[in-house]
Amino acid sequence: MEYRPESTHYGDLIPIVKVVGTGTNQNDNTILRMKDLHGKWVLVTVDSGYCDEACKEKLYFMRQVRLVQGKQSHRIERLWLINDDVKPDDELKEQYEGTYFVSAKVSEILGYIETQETQTKHIYLIDPMGNLMMRFPEKVDGTKMGHDLKRLLHVSQIEH
């Protein structure tokens, strides 16, 4: 019988890739540069501006996982890369206030996040250096995702 230690993380570690590029922040119509988010852990989702139930669920878990980090929540940003020309409704913007709603249809940012077929199925994590490094399972467990983030915040040497 072979011994295999239990995994110490819930999310899948993926090949690390530096994410660069810009998109239009729909909240204030400014340009968001990925480098503007350096120094923070960034939870990322990619979806249509229509935002179906799966999209809303990802936004919900991103918000909740950030909230449960308590005093450390300021170290986490939430980024929704909108992959089409549809503008999300104002109710969503209110409900997920603090999330960057970024038009990314023509942005190079999307090219760093797996394939088009895969990128809308997951919540991703970018480290404070700007590296895409983890993706959470499709039907995410918010509690387990929160534990991963708590552990990463604890061991991270970058404090802002």
Side-chain angles (χ1 to χ4, degrees):
M1 196 160 156
E2 186 179 324
Y3 171 73
R4 291 188 187 185
E6 239 181 80
S7 176
T8 57
H9 50 84
Y10 170 66
D12 298 321
L13 295 174
I14 56 178
I16 293 175
V17 60
K18 182 87 164 173
V19 180
V20 297
T22 61
T24 304
N25 184 349
Q26 292 188 3
N27 296 331
D28 58 10
N29 212 28
T30 59
I31 298 297
L32 175 99
R33 293 166 189 80
M34 287 305 295
K35 68 180 182 180
D36 297 341
L37 299 175
H38 287 187
K40 303 280 187 169
W41 290 91
V42 184
L43 291 167
V44 182
T45 184
V46 179
D47 265 296
S48 162
Y50 286 117
C51 201
D52 62 13
E53 286 308 307
C55 166
K56 288 175 183 164
E57 188 172 271
K58 289 188 293 177
L59 290 171
Y60 171 79
F61 281 121
M62 287 169 45
R63 182 186 66 196
Q64 296 308 106
V65 162
R66 181 180 179 275
L67 281 173
V68 299
Q69 302 307 321
K71 292 187 297 185
Q72 298 296 317
S73 65
H74 71 280
R75 296 175 61 196
I76 304 163
E77 294 292 352
R78 294 165 292 148
L79 174 62
W80 176 11
L81 297 172
I82 300 165
N83 62 3
D84 58 19
D85 293 323
V86 178
K87 298 239 188 268
D89 62 40
D90 290 337
E91 186 182 314
L92 268 180
K93 287 183 179 182
E94 284 176 33
Q95 210 172 357
Y96 298 103
E97 187 180 349
T99 299
Y100 288 96
F101 287 58
V102 175
S103 297
K105 180 182 176 189
V106 296
S107 170
E108 61 273 34
I109 299 169
L110 290 177
Y112 294 100
I113 304 175
E114 300 195 298
T115 65
Q116 249 182 325
E117 301 77 40
T118 306
Q119 61 189 204
T120 58
K121 296 179 181 179
H122 302 277
I123 294 172
Y124 294 89
L125 185 63
I126 296 176
D127 71 17
M129 309 277 279
N131 299 309
L132 181 68
M133 48 84 66
M134 184 177 273
R135 110 180 152 189
F136 294 97
E138 196 169 340
K139 297 291 184 197
V140 74
D141 178 321
T143 302
K144 291 179 180 177
M145 187 171 120
H147 287 298
D148 271 6
L149 211 47
K150 183 176 185 155
R151 191 175 307 114
L152 287 166
L153 289 168
H154 178 73
V155 300
S156 172
Q157 298 301 307
I158 299 172
E159 177 66 50
H160 281 271

